[in-house]
Amino acid sequence: MSNERMPLLGTTSFLSPRLLWKTGVAFAAVGVIAGAFGAHGLKKRPGIDADKIHSWETAAHYSIYNGLALMLLSMHPRFSLHRFAGPAIAAGGLVFSSSIVALVLNRDRFKFLGTATPMGGAVMIAGYLSLLF
């Protein structure tokens, strides 16, 4: 239970600014690597069409965007310790991008992840919107 002295989510994030920075760097690096693979290696795989390439690019771009956002967040004097924003952006971004990648690589095997993509996106958006408060 929460009360005024002890909020339900606590008062600070379990992700330190240093860990937010490292997480952001990892997201950005994975996004660049995924983008390079999508531009060069993915096209050689059987069954890859233009729609799948576009989905892959979306996953790579969002990984980079979220990585940059986490790095910026880690440097902010107030929001680097926000109890929800950083973890939600990281977790939502991970689920969003990785589920797209899995579906592009093998839709039949990972079709159960189809509902994970919008859920990850919703958590990611909630993380960004929480910075309003």
Side-chain angles (χ1 to χ4, degrees):
M1 296 232 82
S2 66
N3 60 39
E4 288 182 31
R5 286 178 284 160
M6 180 66 81
L8 183 62
L9 293 176
T11 56
T12 60
S13 173
F14 65 91
L15 290 178
S16 68
R18 182 180 170 105
L19 188 54
L20 272 178
W21 177 267
K22 289 181 177 186
T23 303
V25 169
F27 270 57
V30 167
V32 170
I33 293 166
F37 178 71
H40 302 289
L42 187 63
K43 294 175 184 178
K44 298 175 185 173
R45 292 180 58 102
I48 300 297
D49 58 17
D51 286 340
K52 289 183 178 179
I53 295 290
H54 180 70
S55 294
W56 186 277
E57 290 171 348
T58 299
H61 290 159
Y62 272 84
S63 183
I64 294 169
Y65 301 151
N66 288 320
L68 293 173
L70 290 170
M71 287 187 279
L72 287 171
L73 197 60
S74 76
M75 296 185 292
H76 193 278
R78 177 176 164 215
F79 294 128
S80 64
L81 299 174
H82 196 281
R83 65 184 175 261
F84 182 76
I89 293 167
L94 179 67
V95 171
F96 180 81
S97 291
S98 62
S99 63
I100 292 173
V101 166
L103 289 166
V104 166
L105 293 176
N106 194 336
R107 181 171 290 281
D108 293 334
R109 183 175 181 186
F110 297 112
K111 63 182 170 187
F112 66 92
L113 290 176
T115 57
T117 306
M119 286 190 286
V123 171
M124 179 176 58
I125 291 166
Y128 284 109
L129 290 176
S130 72
L131 294 170
L132 292 170
F133 305 100

